[in-house]
């Protein structure tokens, strides 16, 4: 689950419009080769996000039993 | 009608209702626009590709309406250039109705845009597109409930499969009729109003969704999941991608080259058996001008239209299927190390069709360093116009099997030049831009959609090419035949002088005076090179006569050197012009042209001199 978006305003707007906002659950589907981007699923949308940018999005683990798919 | 980017510059007819189409990227907004207006809008599966404002007149139940397609945006408060364009448009134009188009299956996040439009108090209508996908993924939407909650009319449509379009037209007409005449006015204090309502946005979005939408208990797109397992595989993903690309190019040439041969023969027969007898009584200068100048030049180039059509057809399939976004994912790690990103790679790939739209596509980037570096590498993409020249030259100087290798080698060099350029200059054009891209589910492209798109691209190519070719071919013919009375293209003609003048520079790379003239005019457009050669040698390309004439005078080493130079130096004046307008910097434009000339000369020089040393002649 996303807790904090530690990014500048422009990127925060973009991330929120794509569904990445505090309180939202995200699922990491895969990581690209050679430290490539991360493939994420947020709600009904799939995204790619670079690792440097993803590192600034703070998340906490969610109990798997409570995860809404 | 396509108009420029400046919203204030749109031509709006007074008294005519204005309807603006607003939506997020990847929602099928352009498809809807095309379906409603039957205009040939370019459909991009690439966030924000439709950057020029498209507008078209639409007849709705006897009422004439201006429909304006605004760029795809994520957020009315966003910071991108497209988002600023939409804001500027809404603040400067009296819009009678805003048609908000959302992807129905992603309503969970896209509803936000509809709510923002509502906050501005604009009269609006909500179209939920991709009804087929929502069904496929198990997203259930209670339309009546949603319309009540939003206080907006809501319709479910599928623009791709032409479902619900008639109802959408009726709804637009109904809303326009119901509106108070003259009530439309530009939005005032747009940013303040949006900011004030921002805090309530998340809450109201959640409550509306809870009341009107049901989401699947489990993610249902098994197809995309299964395909991605292979196509985005950490080890196999890239090899599969390059294999797909290689197969695609192989198919294009296997189908396109025979078609090109047939068309070429047809045109030269027409010129020989129909046109020549018709013009027999004309003065020789004029007759030569028409037959050996215009018809020869235009005929040679138009024979390549089938290959170009097939190329854009294949690109359309790759793009509409969603695979192009995956290419961005696969290549991003590599491109990041070149100071670029996955989008630059995709744009370079599109540059293999034509560099001009690829350079326009860099508008999706916000960081100016990243944009400029992308603009610097895109011109090295081997575009369809250059391909004409290479296909012809390779077939003249090499056996079919070798010719394929030569073409393949030129593609590799095209990538190599781009990579080298990025590595050399990434320090000067640094960028910190974040990269967030949507990976849409895999979709089956529809045949009419890709056909219409490829047709539009060929028409566009022909439109550009025709103007340059006529100008170029006519100039070359005149240079060859002036002053009056000289033997065509001899050393005494103007073109002979021009060729001799540049010999000190071009002789070391094996370019003779006649090839020089073709290269000089190739600066205007590569479409001219082949037609120009045909005019210079006075032979048609298709009958094989030009090949013989060329091969009798030029060695294969010189031919390869000519191809290397043609690949690397400035693609065409349109590319230079578009780099100038997009970068807004004259210095950068000059730098880009000079760098490509220097690189072209160095590569050709190394090749030619080495070949000479090794003893290849």
């Amino acid at each position: 689950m996303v807790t904090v978006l530690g990014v500048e305003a422009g990127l925060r707007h973009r991330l929120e419009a794509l569904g990445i906002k505090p309180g939202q659950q995200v699922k990491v589907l895969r990581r690209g080769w050679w430290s490539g981007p991360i493939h994420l699923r947020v709600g009904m949308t799939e995204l790619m996000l670079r690792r440097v940018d993803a590192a600034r999005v703070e998340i906490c683990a969610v109990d798997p039993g409570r995860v809404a798919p | 009608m396509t108009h420029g980017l400046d919203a204030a510059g749109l031509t709006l007819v007074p008294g005519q209702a204005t309807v603006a189409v607003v939506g997020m990227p990847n929602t099928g907004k352009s498809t809807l626009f095309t379906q409603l207006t039957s205009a040939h809008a370019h459909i991009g599966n690439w966030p924000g590709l439709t950057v020029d404002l498209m507008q078209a007149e639409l007849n709705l139940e006897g009422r004439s309406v201006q429909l304006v397609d605004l760029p795809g945006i994520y957020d009315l408060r966003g910071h991108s250039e497209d988002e600023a364009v939409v804001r500027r448009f809404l603040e400067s134009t009296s819009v009678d109705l805003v048609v908000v188009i959302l992807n129905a299956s992603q309503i969970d996040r896209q509803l936000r845009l509809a709510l923002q439009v509502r906050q501005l108090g604009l009269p609006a209508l909500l179209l939920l597109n991709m009804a087929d996908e929502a069904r496929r993924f198990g997203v259930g939407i209670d339309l009546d409930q949603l319309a009540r909650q939003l206080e907006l009319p809501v319709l479910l449509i599928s623009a791709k499969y032409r479902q619900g379009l008639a109802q959408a037209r009726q709804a637009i007409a109904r809303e326009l009729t119901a509106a108070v005449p003259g009530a439309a006015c530009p939005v005032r204090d747009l940013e303040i109003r949006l900011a004030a309502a921002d805090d309530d946005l998340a809450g109201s979005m959640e409550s509306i969704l809870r009341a009107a939408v049901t989401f699947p208990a489990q993610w249902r797109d098994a197809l995309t999941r299964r395909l991605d397992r292979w196509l985005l595989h950490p080890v196999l993903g890239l090899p599969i991608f390059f294999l797909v690309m290689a197969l695609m190019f192989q198919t294009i040439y296997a189908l396109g080259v025979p078609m090109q041969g047939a068309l070429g023969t047809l045109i030269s027969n027409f010129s020989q058996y129909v046109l020549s007898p018709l013009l027999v009584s004309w003065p020789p200068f004029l007759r030569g001008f028409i037959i050996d100048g215009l018809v020869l030049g235009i005929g040679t180039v138009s024979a390549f239209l089938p290959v170009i059509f097939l190329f854009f057809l294949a690109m359309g399939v790759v793009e509409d299927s969603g695979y192009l976004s995956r290419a961005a994912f696969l290549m991003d790690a590599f491109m990041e190390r070149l100071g670029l990103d996955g989008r630059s790679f995709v744009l370079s790939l599109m540059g293999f069709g034509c560099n001009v739209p690829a350079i326009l596509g860099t508008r999706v980037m916000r960081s100016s360093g990243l944009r400029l570096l992308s603009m610097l590498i895109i011109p090295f993409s081997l575009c369809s116009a250059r391909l004409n020249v290479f296909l012809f030259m390779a077939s003249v100087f090499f056996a079919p099997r070798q010719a394929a290798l030569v073409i393949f080698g030129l593609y590799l060099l095209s990538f190599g030049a781009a990579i080298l350029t990025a590595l050399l200059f990434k320090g000067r054009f640094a960028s910190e831009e974040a990269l967030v891209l949507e990976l849409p589910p895999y979709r089956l492209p529809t045949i009419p959609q890709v056909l219409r798109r490829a047709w539009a691209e060929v028409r566009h190519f022909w439109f550009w090419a025709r103007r340059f070719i006529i100008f170029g071919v006519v100039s070359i013919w005149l240079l060859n035949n002036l002053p009056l009375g000289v033997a065509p293209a001899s050393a005494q003609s103007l073109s002979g002088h021009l060729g001799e003048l540049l010999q000190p520079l071009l002789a070391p790379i094996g370019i003779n005076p006649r090839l020089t003239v073709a290269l000089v005019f190739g600066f205007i457009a590569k479409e001219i090179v082949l037609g120009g050669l045909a005019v210079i040698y006075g032979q048609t390309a298709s009958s094989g006569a030009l090949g013989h004439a060329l091969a009798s005078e030029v060695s294969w080493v010189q031919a390869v050197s000519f191809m290397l130079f043609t690949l690397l130096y400035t693609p065409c004046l349109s590319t230079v012009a578009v780099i100038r307008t997009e970068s807004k910097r004259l210095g950068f434009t000059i730098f880009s042209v000079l760098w490509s000339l220097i690189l072209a000369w160095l590569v050709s020089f190394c090749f030619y001199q080495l070949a000479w040393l090794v003893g290849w002649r």
Side-chain angles (χ1 to χ4, degrees), chain B residues 160-305:
Chain B
K160 186 170 156 187
Y161 298 104
R162 306 189 67 93
Q163 284 163 359
L165 291 178
Q167 289 90 321
R169 291 170 73 100
Q170 283 165 9
I172 294 171
R174 205 165 43 234
E175 289 303 306
L176 288 175
T177 314
V180 186
C185 60
V187 179
R188 267 185 227 111
D189 307 325
L190 184 142
E191 307 211 21
I192 298 167
R193 288 168 77 167
L194 282 178
D198 214 29
D199 292 335
D200 306 331
L201 199 70
S204 55
M205 205 164 122
E206 204 166 308
S207 72
I208 293 172
L209 286 172
R210 207 174 309 127
V213 185
T214 53
F215 291 99
Q218 216 168 16
W219 179 240
R220 285 204 199 161
D221 193 5
L223 175 74
T224 294
R225 187 61 20 91
R226 257 202 309 269
L227 279 174
D228 272 346
R229 195 173 301 153
W230 292 105
L231 299 181
L232 294 183
H233 191 278
V235 181
L236 295 175
L238 271 182
I240 292 176
F241 174 73
F242 285 114
L243 193 71
V244 169
M245 286 292 128
L247 276 177
M248 185 180 112
F249 282 111
Q250 197 67 42
T251 316
I252 292 171
Y253 303 138
L255 292 174
V257 173
M259 283 160 83
Q260 167 206 330
L263 195 61
T265 313
L266 200 73
I267 293 169
S268 75
N269 284 347
F270 168 79
S271 167
Q272 195 177 346
Y273 299 113
V274 181
L275 212 56
S276 300
L278 271 180
L279 301 182
V280 81
S281 58
W282 287 38
F285 186 80
L286 215 57
R287 194 176 61 217
F289 176 75
I290 289 178
I291 291 177
D292 301 329
L294 274 183
V295 176
L296 198 61
I298 292 179
T300 304
V301 178
S302 56
F304 285 94
L305 290 179

Side-chain angles (χ1 to χ4, degrees), chain B residues 76 100 112-124 146-152 193-194 201 204 208:
Chain B
L76 268 175
V100 182
R112 183 189 161 97
L113 193 60
L115 288 171
Q116 286 185 324
V117 169
R118 203 189 57 177
Q119 281 163 4
L120 293 177
L122 289 162
L146 190 59
R148 242 195 322 278
Q149 296 268 346
L150 286 170
E151 297 160 8
L152 296 177
R193 288 168 77 167
L194 282 178
L201 199 70
S204 55
I208 293 172

